[in-house]
Amino acid sequence: MTGISKTYGGTLACDDVDLTVRAGEVHALLGENGAGKSTLMRVLSGDVTDHHGTVAIEGRPTRFGSPHDAQRAGIAMIPQELDLVPGLSIAANIFLGRELRTRAGIIDVRRMNRETGDLLARTGITLDPKRHVGELRTGEQQLVAIAKALALDAKVLIMDEPTSALSPAEVTRMFAVITELRAAGAGIVYISHRMEEISRIADRATVLRNGRVAAAFATADLTVAQVTEALVGRPVQALFRTEHGSTGRELLRLTDFALRPRRTRPGRREPDGVSLSVRAGEIVGLGGLLGSGRTELLETLFGAGTPGRRHGELRVRDRVVRPRRPRQAMRLGMALVPEDRRISGLALSHSIRANTVLSIVDRIAVGGYVPRKRETGAVRRVVDELKIKIGGLGDAANTLSGGNQQKIVLGRALLTEPSLLLLDEPTRGVDVGAKAEIYQLLREAAGRGIGILLASSEPAELVGLCDRVVVLHDGRSVRELDTRDAGEAELLAAAMGEGRTAAAVGGES
Ligand SMILES: Nc1ncnc2c1ncn2[C@@H]1O[C@H](COP(=O)(O)OP(=O)(O)OP(=O)(O)O)[C@@H](O)[C@H]1O
Ligand SMILES: [Mg+2]
C-alpha cells in the first residue's frame, strides 16, 4: 500500500500511509483508538474505495471496487465489527455468496455443513454448523468469523481485533492456526490492543498515530513493555494500582444461585450454583473460559437473562430480590455494561449526544425537561474524562472507532452513578493508554463506594485491577482468589477446571 489517504468529512483517518506485507509474516498494525487502523484495512479489503494512493498485490497495482474484488485477489478480512448475519446458520454465513452446489446446480447443504464443521474444528471450537449465529456469544462469533476467513484460503489475511472477546486458551488455539498459515506462506495483518499478543505472534509492526505511520520495526525479541512504549510513544507506568481499597457494607450476595430456564436456549450456560459477594468499594472479577457462564450470570443479575426459576439466594443490600426486568435491577441501583456494545449498548445511527444522555435523562431533568446546557455538560464530561476522540457531539455513534464506541458505553454507565456496576468485558478493544484511564476511573468509582462486578477474559486485567476474582466453570463458581497472593497462573489453572472433583473433570472430556 503506497500513499494511502482517506477522509471522512473533516477527519483525515489515513494520511499518506505506506504499508508492505510479505508472504510468511505476521505484521502487527498498532495504534491508539481512532488512529486509522481499521480504515486502512478497509481500503485493503475493498470496503473503502474512495481513497487516494495505490494498492499493489504481488507487485501488480490494483483498484478494488468492492470486497468481492479484493477476495478474488486473495484478500480476506475479519472485520472488527463482525458482519455475520444473525438470522442465518453458521454454515450459511460461512458460505454466504459462494454456496457450494452439487453437479446438478443444487445447493449442497450437507457438504456445507460438513466443511463448516471441519473449519470450526481448526479454530478449536465445537459448534453445530446449523445453529443460528445470533444465538452465539461474541467470542464464539469471532471464531466463526475466523473460520469464515479460513474458508477463503487467502494470500493475505487481515485480522482486526480477532481476540478481543477470547480467553487465553482460545487465543493460544488461534495462534496455532496463525502459525500454520504463516508457515504456508500467507501474509497476516494482525490488529490487537493486547500487547502481550503482539510480542508473542508478530514478526514486524507498524504504528499509526493520527492517521500517519509513526514507527515501523521488527518485533522479534521485544518485550511487552517495549512494544507498549513504541505504541504510546513514551515510557508507560504500570497499568495497575498495587494497593487494595478499603471496603464498606455488603451490596450483593449470591448463595448457591442458579437459574432453571423455562425454555433452554442453545449454547447458553446459565448460572448453576454461584456463590459470591461484592462489598461497597470493591472490584470483584469474574474469570473463566469462553462459555463458562460469566455473561449469563451478569445478565441474570440484571434481569436481562433467560426467563426461568431462580434457586438459591440473591441479596442486594441484605434484601432478597428477584429482578426480572432491567428496570427493576436499575431501581435496585444496578447498571450493566454489556459485552456486545452493538446489540444492547449503543444506538449506532444516533448521535453521540443522544447515546450518552440516554440513561441519565431522569436524573438531570428539571421539571420534566432537560436543559440543553445540562445535557451538553454531562456529555462533555464523559467525552473529556475518557478522552474520547470524536468530531462533534452530534455525529452518529457509528462514525467512532471501535474503542471509542466502547468508551461511550462505559462512560454512560458511570454517569448513572449506580451503587452496583456490572461490567462485561469493559475494555474490549480499548487501547493501552485509555485502558489505564478506565482502570483509574473504576478505582475512583470504587473509592466513592460503588461495588463493581467485572467479567473479563484478560487474566492481567482480573489480577491487576480486582481485589478478588471468582472463577466460573460450567456456570458454577469453583474458586475464589485473593489477588494479593494469587497471580495469573493460578487464575488460568482454576479456569481450566483444576480444583474440581476428578470425576467432573473426566466426565467432560
Ligand atoms: N464511517 C465513518 N464515518 C466518519 N468517521 C469515521 C468513520 N469510520 C472511521 N471514522 C473516523 O476515522 C478515524 C479512524 O478510525 P478507525 O476506525 O480507522 O480507527 P482505529 O485505529 O481502527 O481505532 P480502534 O482501535 O478504536 O478500532 C477516527 O477518527 C474515526 O472517528
Ligand atoms: Mg478499529
Side-chain angles (χ1 to χ4, degrees), residues 37-74:
K37 304 178 295 295
S38 296
T39 305
L40 185 67
M41 289 303 106
R42 289 173 58 206
V43 168
L44 181 54
S45 66
D47 192 22
V48 166
T49 52
D50 56 339
H51 62 86
H52 293 277
T54 55
V55 177
I57 306 295
E58 294 180 315
R60 277 189 307 279
T62 39
R63 185 94 207 173
F64 299 140
S66 70
H68 206 81
D69 287 353
Q71 271 180 24
R72 263 198 306 257

Side-chain angles (χ1 to χ4, degrees), residues 34 36-39 80 160-161 191 193 401-403:
K37 304 178 295 295
S38 296
T39 305
Q80 181 174 16
D160 195 348
E161 295 190 43
I191 300 177
H193 290 294
S401 74

Side-chain angles (χ1 to χ4, degrees), residues 101-107:
R101 290 171 190 276
T102 62
R103 231 175 273 146
I106 299 163
I107 292 182

Side-chain angles (χ1 to χ4, degrees), residues 270-312:
E270 305 295 354
D272 185 20
V274 178
S275 300
L276 60 83
S277 73
V278 181
R279 293 180 165 281
E282 224 182 4
I283 304 181
V284 177
L286 278 180
L289 300 178
L290 185 65
S292 58
R294 293 164 299 180
T295 295
E296 290 85 343
L297 175 63
L298 292 178
E299 286 177 355
T300 306
L301 294 178
F302 194 62
T306 313
R309 272 183 81 87
R310 286 105 197 276
H311 293 259

Side-chain angles (χ1 to χ4, degrees), residues 153-452:
D153 219 359
K155 282 192 278 244
V156 177
L157 179 60
I158 304 163
M159 308 178 101
D160 195 348
E161 295 190 43
T163 57
S164 65
L166 298 187
S167 303
E170 289 98 31
V171 173
T172 298
R173 176 70 219 168
M174 209 194 67
F175 280 7
V177 176
I178 292 180
T179 306
E180 255 174 54
L181 294 173
R182 168 169 58 193
I188 294 149
V189 182
Y190 191 81
I191 300 177
S192 173
H193 290 294
R194 295 176 168 186
M195 293 302 115
E196 74 284 358
E197 292 183 357
I198 305 300
S199 60
R200 254 172 85 192
I201 195 78
D203 302 300
R204 290 197 297 153
T206 297
V207 179
L208 294 183
R209 196 166 299 137
N210 295 320
R212 303 191 65 103
V213 174
F217 49 88
T219 47
D221 310 323
L222 287 194
T223 62
V224 174
Q226 286 167 324
V227 175
T228 310
E229 190 174 329
L231 192 169
V232 182
R234 58 184 154 76
V236 267
Q237 324 91 307
L239 263 180
F240 303 106
R241 91 224 142 78
T242 40
E243 90 289 1
H244 283 224
S246 62
T247 58
R249 69 185 289 202
E250 192 171 273
L251 296 175
L252 176 77
R253 172 166 291 277
L254 301 178
T255 315
D256 231 354
F257 181 74
L259 177 85
R260 303 271 176 273
R262 219 172 290 146
R263 250 187 325 138
T264 52
R265 286 159 65 188
R268 282 186 64 95
R269 180 72 70 183
E270 305 295 354
D272 185 20
V274 178
S275 300
L276 60 83
S277 73
V278 181
R279 293 180 165 281
E282 224 182 4
I283 304 181
V284 177
L286 278 180
L289 300 178
L290 185 65
S292 58
R294 293 164 299 180
T295 295
E296 290 85 343
L297 175 63
L298 292 178
E299 286 177 355
T300 306
L301 294 178
F302 194 62
T306 313
R309 272 183 81 87
R310 286 105 197 276
H311 293 259
E313 204 175 67
L314 162 58
R315 280 177 186 270
V316 172
R317 270 178 252 96
D318 235 10
R319 252 181 59 211
V320 176
V321 295
R322 281 184 198 80
R324 289 185 187 283
R325 298 217 165 68
R327 279 192 82 85
Q328 295 167 344
M330 276 147 78
R331 247 181 266 130
L332 292 166
M334 296 192 222
L336 170 71
V337 173
E339 175 183 38
D340 190 337
R341 53 184 172 260
R342 288 167 311 149
I343 290 175
S344 33
L346 276 181
L348 279 177
S349 59
H350 286 267
S351 68
I352 295 162
R353 173 190 288 276
N355 270 290
T356 313
V357 293
L358 218 64
S359 52
I360 52 158
V361 167
D362 292 345
R363 229 162 34 80
I364 61 173
V366 181
Y369 295 93
V370 178
R372 189 75 172 172
K373 246 187 156 161
R374 266 190 180 225
E375 182 186 318
T376 306
V379 176
R380 271 275 156 227
R381 231 176 65 216
V382 174
V383 170
D384 292 346
E385 277 198 9
L386 290 169
K387 301 201 175 63
I388 303 176
K389 189 179 167 193
I390 65 166
L393 296 182
D395 292 357
N398 58 13
T399 66
L400 293 177
S401 74
N404 285 310
Q405 290 179 16
Q406 183 64 31
K407 290 197 225 169
I408 293 273
V409 179
L410 188 63
R412 187 176 71 189
L414 283 171
L415 263 189
T416 64
E417 288 284 330
S419 55
L420 190 62
L421 188 53
L422 309 174
L423 303 174
D424 201 355
E425 301 283 358
T427 62
R428 204 182 135 221
V430 170
D431 69 53
V432 267
K435 260 186 192 171
E437 283 152 26
I438 287 177
Y439 296 148
Q440 184 61 32
L441 281 174
L442 294 179
R443 261 295 138 202
E444 283 166 21
R448 291 196 300 274
I450 295 177
I452 298 174

